[in-house]
Amino acid sequence: MGKNAYFQVIEENEKMFLKVYEAEDDGEMFQVDDVIRYLDTISFPEYDATKISSYLDRGVFGEPFPLWPEPIIPVGGKCLVTVAPDGMKAVARFYPPSTGGEEMTENEIIGDLRIAGVKFGVRRKAIDHFLQNHEYCRDYLVAVATKPRQGHDAKVTYHFDINQTVRPKMNEDGSVDFHQLGNIKPVEAGQKLATLTPVDFGNPGMSVTGKPLKPKTVRNKVLRFGRNIRISDDRCKIYSEVSGHVTLVEDMVMVSDIYQVPANVDASTGDIEYNGTVQVTGNVNTGYKIKADGDIVVNGVVECAELYAGGNIVLKRGMQGGEKGILEAEGNITAKFIESANVKCNGMLKADAVLNSKVQCREDIEVRGKKGLINGGSVKTYGNISATTIGSEMGSTTEIEVISDKELIIRVNELHDRNKEIEAELKKIEDVTTGIKNALSHGMEITDEQKDFVKRATKNKPALQKELKENRYERDNLVERIDNNKRSCVKVYDAVYAGTELSVKDAKRVIHDHISHCRFVRDGADVKMTDL
């Protein structure tokens, strides 16, 4: 690599000139801005930037360019430092001393770096190279930041199928295929269920100005599981302790046996309460109740009955609720049809038809089977609502609502405030107990009041730590839900009829005319209709 061209302020006959030393080999020519920056730095009395530019543009440097008719005080070598805006590097550009000036020393260069704010990552080799070679008007990389080492989120890998229940197979005619739901996940005793890849928080870096460079924020996770499951000593793997079936509700893994009802749920069985999954071969008759910690699967019809599931509910035919029927699931609900029932689920709802029912879900509601009809009653969720048809030509009142997140946001703020209180209380316990331990280690006596405090702290601290952990987990989940629900809307793939009342995050709209193939979204204080 050849030497760059450079310039020098020289004195001849008691006048000051700009002398140019041309590049060698494939070295580069400096720019007029280099000269201007240098002259301004040394506070040169006066100069004509336009004439200097013309002189350099001509490229004929046999005679130096006159700068000033009088001599100036000799100026030593200069080091002009540029720090990158992101603080990742600093570049120095050196200029020779004027006539009578002295070359820069290592200490002077280090001093100029400090003045420029460079405190970290100085490259001594670059400084040594300049001091040995004195190459001017070229950029020396004199400081380099240490980049942060990026970590990664904790990751849970499930060793069983977690998708089929969430997304039942759709037939070509648009109906849900209830013969291949795949919602029951068999598991053998000793089978590994999930593996946790622990969080890596990374390591901070340091900018050349001494500012810490934080790695990206990562999210921590733990393995969450119910009964009949054991965890490895390193808390990174979980295994089934029994043969049965496995269910994932949100991010909690549950293993339980399956209770099989060979016919109907009626007077021959009575109400059923079971800590696993319940499968009903026949119908669930009027007035009976099923409560299961796992899934509930009914091959026949559910009449005016009550079903409560800690996992998912699958009705392969449907429910005729008679206005008293109840479906409640911590997971998802899938049904052929739902009529005159009260429905709640913390997952998503899929059905061919929802008629005159009161429905509230946490996640998406999809009514897009062969009929894909929502008519009468109310349907509410924090997620998206998708249907082929909403309402009817008879103008029956149908309430459709994408629920506002404001209650979730209030809860997030409540958890934040409570966590601050717990953290302050835990710090107080830590400070006081540490002081008492120090006093005891120095042979000092403690008061009865201090003894009582230690007893109370020993009793209360685990509960506070548990509450803090649970609050943080709940808050993280709520923040994620709020983020996922930002773009929730109502989608209609065929028609929405007059009489339908739409609400999207507290904005309301009543449908007065037949509308086809559209989407309804929140726009300011209104519900806006857009194309699908």
Side-chain angles (χ1 to χ4, degrees):
M1 177 179 176
K3 287 189 175 181
N4 287 353
Y6 67 95
F7 60 87
Q8 183 181 22
V9 174
I10 64 172
E11 180 183 346
E12 290 185 359
N13 301 321
E14 297 188 347
K15 295 181 181 180
M16 304 309 297
F17 295 85
L18 183 74
K19 183 175 182 179
V20 175
Y21 298 84
E22 297 190 56
E24 297 179 10
D25 299 329
D26 58 348
E28 298 179 354
M29 179 61 182
F30 58 85
Q31 302 296 317
V32 67
D33 289 344
D34 252 336
V35 181
I36 303 305
R37 183 185 182 194
Y38 171 78
L39 294 176
D40 288 343
T41 300
I42 67 173
S43 300
F44 196 82
E46 188 177 334
Y47 59 87
D48 190 324
T50 302
K51 289 183 178 180
I52 293 174
S53 179
S54 298
Y55 172 73
L56 296 178
D57 288 342
R58 285 197 301 271
V60 179
F61 306 122
E63 295 293 331
F65 178 79
L67 284 175
W68 188 247
E70 299 176 9
I72 65 171
I73 298 173
V75 177
K78 287 294 178 184
C79 167
L80 302 186
V81 181
T82 301
V83 178
D86 59 4
M88 295 306 294
K89 65 179 181 180
V91 174
R93 205 165 174 88
F94 295 94
Y95 303 90
S98 67
T99 302
E102 297 182 356
E103 290 284 2
M104 295 194 75
T105 65
E106 180 179 0
N107 287 339
E108 287 175 334
I109 295 173
I110 296 297
D112 283 348
L113 292 177
R114 292 289 181 264
I115 291 171
V118 177
K119 303 175 182 177
F120 180 82
V122 175
R123 300 178 72 241
R124 295 282 179 170
K125 287 184 178 180
I127 296 173
D128 290 342
H129 183 277
F130 168 74
L131 293 173
Q132 293 170 13
N133 298 279
H134 291 100
E135 294 186 29
Y136 304 111
C137 291
R138 61 159 283 192
D139 289 334
Y140 280 84
L141 185 61
V142 290
V144 178
T146 297
K147 295 181 179 179
R149 184 184 66 81
Q150 302 299 341
H152 58 74
D153 293 344
K155 178 184 178 183
V156 177
T157 301
Y158 298 102
H159 303 296
F160 57 91
D161 184 9
I162 64 173
N163 297 315
Q164 288 186 358
T165 301
V166 176
R167 297 288 182 185
K169 181 182 177 182
M170 301 290 290
N171 294 322
E172 292 183 0
D173 63 0
S175 62
V176 178
D177 184 353
F178 293 98
H179 298 283
Q180 300 182 32
L181 290 173
N183 65 301
I184 302 300
K185 314 294 189 305
V187 63
E188 299 295 330
Q191 181 177 328
K192 183 163 66 174
L193 303 175
T195 300
L196 171 69
T197 302
V199 66
D200 181 354
F201 292 102
N203 299 112
M206 185 71 72
S207 74
V208 297
T209 59
K211 179 182 178 182
L213 301 174
K214 295 181 180 179
K216 294 179 181 177
T217 302
V218 293
R219 179 172 295 179
N220 198 9
K221 291 183 179 180
V222 295
L223 290 171
R224 299 183 68 241
F225 54 94
R227 291 176 292 179
N228 302 323
I229 294 174
R230 67 176 177 85
I231 190 166
S232 61
D233 292 339
D234 62 4
R235 306 194 70 79
C236 289
K237 294 177 283 292
I238 55 175
Y239 301 87
S240 175
E241 290 187 323
V242 299
S243 296
H245 97 287
V246 59
T247 303
L248 184 68
V249 179
E250 291 186 348
D251 63 347
M252 177 171 282
V253 181
M254 298 191 302
V255 170
S256 56
D257 300 330
I258 300 173
Y259 181 80
Q260 186 77 42
V261 181
N264 297 335
V265 175
D266 53 21
S268 65
T269 63
D271 292 340
I272 296 173
E273 186 169 342
Y274 189 63
N275 64 357
T277 287
V278 175
Q279 288 186 322
V280 180
T281 303
N283 304 326
V284 181
N285 290 354
T286 298
Y288 289 91
K289 181 188 299 183
I290 300 176
K291 187 174 182 180
D293 289 349
D295 298 338
I296 298 176
V297 180
V298 182
N299 291 344
V301 174
V302 178
E303 298 175 357
C304 184
E306 298 179 17
L307 273 60
Y308 304 91
N312 307 307
I313 293 178
V314 176
L315 310 182
K316 295 188 178 181
R317 292 186 64 183
M319 181 176 197
Q320 176 53 261
E323 298 183 354
K324 294 183 179 180
I326 295 174
L327 298 177
E328 291 190 9
E330 289 298 318
N332 305 320
I333 295 178
T334 306
K336 189 70 174 177
F337 71 90
I338 299 173
E339 183 174 357
S340 301
N342 296 289
V343 181
K344 290 183 179 180
C345 69
N346 285 332
M348 66 178 294
L349 170 70
K350 270 183 172 286
D352 282 358
V354 177
L355 308 173
N356 300 312
S357 295
K358 185 177 180 181
V359 177
Q360 182 164 331
C361 293
R362 178 181 290 181
E363 299 179 10
D364 293 352
I365 295 176
E366 294 185 17
V367 186
R368 294 198 57 206
K370 190 173 182 179
K371 293 182 179 179
L373 172 63
I374 300 176
N375 186 28
S378 64
V379 175
K380 302 178 180 181
T381 183
Y382 291 94
N384 295 303
I385 300 176
S386 304
T388 304
T389 304
I390 298 178
S392 69
E393 294 180 343
M394 301 299 293
S396 57
T397 300
T398 305
E399 298 178 5
I400 306 294
E401 180 179 357
V402 175
I403 305 171
S404 169
D405 291 327
K406 62 184 180 182
E407 291 183 4
L408 303 182
I409 295 171
I410 291 172
R411 178 58 179 163
V412 167
N413 292 333
E414 289 175 350
L415 289 169
H416 175 77
D417 293 339
R418 176 54 183 158
N419 288 348
K420 290 294 184 184
E421 293 175 2
I422 296 173
E423 289 168 354
E425 195 167 351
L426 287 172
K427 186 177 185 304
K428 178 182 177 182
I429 290 173
E430 187 67 27
D431 291 343
V432 174
T433 53
T434 299
I436 292 173
K437 288 178 182 178
N438 290 337
L440 290 172
S441 67
H442 288 83
M444 299 172 61
E445 293 186 0
I446 61 173
T447 65
D448 291 339
E449 183 180 358
Q450 288 174 317
K451 292 178 182 178
D452 291 338
F453 180 88
V454 172
K455 290 180 181 179
R456 292 195 306 272
T458 302
K459 181 180 178 180
N460 296 336
K461 186 176 179 180
L464 290 171
Q465 290 173 327
K466 181 181 178 182
E467 182 183 356
L468 181 62
K469 181 179 179 181
E470 291 174 348
N471 286 354
R472 285 172 174 169
Y473 179 80
E474 181 183 355
R475 186 177 184 276
D476 288 345
N477 282 343
L478 288 174
V479 170
E480 185 174 357
R481 280 180 57 192
I482 292 169
D483 184 65
N484 292 338
N485 295 338
K486 284 181 179 178
R487 292 170 291 279
S488 295
C489 63
V490 180
K491 301 176 183 178
V492 181
Y493 290 87
D494 186 4
V496 55
Y497 289 94
T500 300
E501 299 177 4
L502 292 171
S503 178
V504 181
K505 297 182 182 294
D506 292 335
K508 299 182 183 298
R509 175 171 180 166
V510 177
I511 304 302
H512 298 290
D513 299 306
H514 174 186
I515 303 173
S516 299
H517 308 289
C518 57
R519 176 173 59 182
F520 297 93
V521 298
R522 171 79 182 264
D523 184 15
D526 301 315
V527 175
K528 178 182 178 182
M529 183 179 70
T530 66
D531 294 332
L532 286 173

